[in-house]
Amino acid sequence: MDSAVFQPIQGMSDLAAPEISLWQRLEHAAREVMRLWGFTEVRTPLLEYTHLFTRSLGDTTDVVQKEMYTFADRGGRSLTLRPEGTASVIRHVAGLGAEGDDARLYYVGPMFRSERPQAGRKRQFHQLGVEAFGAPNPAADAEVIALQLRLFEAWGLSGHTLDLNTRGMPEDRAAVTQGLADAARPHLGALCEDCQRRFETNILRLLDCKKESCQQIVANFPPTTQFMGEASRKYLDDVLRLLGKLGINAKVNPRLVRGLDYYVHTVWEIRHGALGAQDALAGGGRYQVALGDKTFQGVGFAIGLERAIMAVQQDNPALAAAAPQTGAWLVALGDIAREANLQLAKQFRCAGIACGMELGARSMKAQMRAANRSGAKWVVIRGDNELAAGTAALKNLADGAQQDVPLADLEARLKS
Ligand code: HAM
């Protein structure tokens, strides 16, 4: 058969058993943490008008310039598969009016970026993100960072580090650009082609170029805080002080700028040793986006879930492996027992006991093989004798022990 028939699009994957159960457990634990922190879920469409992203992420960013899946719909309108969640959540909050001013929202779902696929980098990937709206306030930034770290704790992660920096306020931008341009100009010829372009279009991005030769040059640039006003430096100090009060140790990384233009003040990134070259487990920051006649301000983060799964597999193998052996498999000897088992399966399932059974007429051996494959803990075996006696043979698949149990006692035994 033509393999293209069953291959998903390059860089995109099906998520299914057995891994899906770890995804579900991580999401379940996260939803509970977010409830405790006072966030509610929002599910926005996967498609948006393209201008939402060009306006909010910035039209010189890599995401907008190189990575968006953009196409025209039948009416000729330009649509884009969301490359991230913040812009859509801001659009949603814009529609809420005054009620949205202090909205606290989270989202879980697929994002799309047309990047070169490699380990930990997909074209369809999943983010769990949080956005807390409100005017700049160091306490809000510290609270959201604490939430993010609490999520990692709930997942049993330990191998991550937090890098933090400030992008300053919009009014610092001219001085920061000037300061960086002065520092970079003497080295312009030695910078990579991308950075030579960034020098003109988005000079901050020089600081996080991945090329070793560029990194050596920017390592000697003064930190951007040197070009910022006192208010921006104090804001950063306040965030660090409040994080300290929450027992959180953040490393200030003056080269951290993040790749999206909407950031102001605090930005941060979480890295994890399990991730190899694509080591960013999560990123976040405070942002400011003008939409219509209003400016939206908030702070938030997004965790890459494919990467979180890799990190959990390294740090918390017990959680990653846990596939609880629960439930029962019903085995029938003969047609009458099989029909009786159909009723029994319904009764068990309604009573909260997961169970499966062979629906066709198959040998005892084949049914036992299916029972083993199912991961069930118990096998319930019935034939004519058991039906007549009102009992079932109950076998524990873990140790092979088998015993006749009256039908009336079965539910309690299976739940034990
Ligand atoms: P971001 O840094 O672009 O931020 O993405 C956040 C996380 O998504 C990354 O740290 C990474 O774990 C994951 N990620 C990004 N691209 C890929 C990919 N191609 N394959 C797999 N995982 C990927 C944002 O998206 C911002 N919206 C975060 C934010 C929310 N800032 C404020 N609020």
Side-chain angles (χ1 to χ4, degrees):
M1 198 201 291
D2 176 7
S3 70
V5 173
F6 53 82
Q7 291 285 347
I9 293 169
Q10 196 195 8
M12 306 195 178
S13 303
D14 301 319
L15 297 174
E19 297 82 9
I20 195 71
S21 122
L22 179 54
W23 283 76
Q24 289 166 341
R25 274 174 280 145
L26 294 194
E27 284 177 23
H28 182 75
R31 284 175 198 282
E32 177 57 9
V33 172
M34 279 170 317
R35 185 184 71 78
L36 295 171
W37 248 256
F39 286 80
T40 58
E41 184 175 5
V42 59
R43 300 186 189 189
T44 63
L46 305 193
L47 272 179
E48 298 277 1
Y49 290 117
T50 303
H51 58 73
L52 175 67
F53 300 114
T54 48
R55 252 183 236 161
S56 47
L57 311 187
D59 46 19
T60 63
T61 56
D62 286 352
V63 172
V64 167
Q65 286 206 329
K66 306 188 210 164
E67 296 169 5
M68 296 205 304
Y69 283 99
T70 296
F71 56 92
D73 72 1
R74 286 170 196 274
R77 284 164 297 239
S78 180
L79 306 183
T80 293
L81 275 167
R82 64 181 187 189
E84 59 103 60
T86 311
S88 306
V89 175
I90 293 173
R91 180 195 49 65
H92 169 76
V93 163
L96 296 179
E99 242 176 75
D101 287 351
D102 54 2
R104 290 162 76 86
L105 298 166
Y106 78 87
Y107 48 93
V108 185
M111 308 291 161
F112 304 85
R113 294 184 194 177
S114 174
E115 297 188 80
R116 197 167 48 77
Q118 62 181 75
R121 197 207 270 155
K122 312 279 295 179
R123 290 180 168 168
Q124 176 178 321
F125 59 98
H126 297 75
Q127 284 186 346
L128 185 160
V130 159
E131 314 295 349
F133 288 84
N137 176 352
D141 301 12
E143 189 203 24
V144 161
I145 293 172
L147 161 59
Q148 189 174 29
L149 294 174
R150 173 65 197 130
L151 286 172
F152 295 144
E153 191 180 28
W155 292 343
L157 293 187
S158 52
H160 51 285
T161 53
L162 166 64
D163 275 23
L164 186 133
N165 196 18
T166 177
R167 290 269 298 247
M169 296 195 279
E171 43 272 47
D172 295 319
R173 221 151 264 174
V176 169
T177 304
Q178 185 62 50
L180 284 176
D182 290 347
R185 200 168 289 110
H187 308 280
L188 209 48
L191 292 171
C192 74
E193 226 171 81
D194 272 347
C195 282
Q196 296 196 1
R197 187 174 43 78
R198 290 174 186 138
F199 181 83
E200 301 295 341
T201 58
N202 198 344
I203 197 163
L204 258 190
R205 297 305 310 280
L206 252 55
L207 294 178
D208 68 351
C209 178
K210 301 280 176 291
K211 299 232 167 56
E212 177 71 34
S213 51
C214 294
Q215 285 180 0
Q216 277 176 8
I217 294 170
V218 304
N220 297 314
F221 288 6
T224 50
T225 42
Q226 192 170 308
F227 311 117
M228 291 175 190
E230 178 55 27
S232 293
R233 284 202 294 268
K234 176 164 181 334
Y235 193 101
L236 174 64
D237 287 345
D238 283 344
V239 171
L240 292 169
R241 183 174 53 76
L242 293 170
L243 286 175
K245 284 202 169 183
L246 294 167
I248 293 167
N249 209 345
K251 189 177 104 208
V252 176
N253 174 356
R255 312 274 159 245
L256 179 71
V257 293
R258 306 266 305 130
L260 305 166
D261 279 356
Y262 51 46
Y263 290 117
V264 293
H265 285 302
T266 321
V267 285
W268 69 90
E269 218 150 68
I270 309 269
R271 301 181 188 289
H272 194 285
L275 302 180
Q278 301 300 318
D279 66 349
L281 171 59
R286 170 160 289 284
Y287 47 83
Q288 180 173 315
V289 173
L291 220 57
D293 54 3
K294 203 169 158 186
T295 295
F296 295 85
Q297 305 186 92
V299 59
F301 61 78
I303 302 172
L305 286 177
E306 280 76 6
R307 298 184 189 178
I309 295 280
M310 289 162 78
V312 170
Q313 281 163 343
Q314 173 165 309
D315 288 357
N316 191 359
L319 178 65
Q325 283 229 325
T326 51
W329 191 266
L330 310 192
V331 166
L333 305 173
D335 295 342
I336 297 171
R338 196 167 59 254
E339 287 185 10
N341 276 357
L342 198 57
Q343 292 170 303
L344 191 61
K346 180 182 167 197
Q347 179 195 320
F348 284 165
R349 290 160 176 166
C350 291
I353 299 164
C355 81
M357 63 176 284
E358 171 59 48
L359 295 167
R362 298 183 70 198
S363 70
M364 169 85 173
K365 204 167 151 195
Q367 292 187 64
M368 286 306 291
R369 260 205 309 274
N372 277 308
R373 263 203 317 272
S374 76
K377 182 172 173 189
W378 301 100
V379 182
V380 176
I381 306 162
R382 296 202 294 172
D384 293 343
N385 292 346
E386 286 79 6
L387 287 181
T391 61
L394 182 64
K395 179 168 177 156
N396 183 330
L397 275 180
D399 60 15
Q402 185 170 323
Q403 187 181 16
D404 282 342
V405 176
L407 219 43
D409 299 345
L410 260 183
E411 252 183 58
R413 283 294 298 276
L414 293 174
K415 283 184 170 169
S416 70

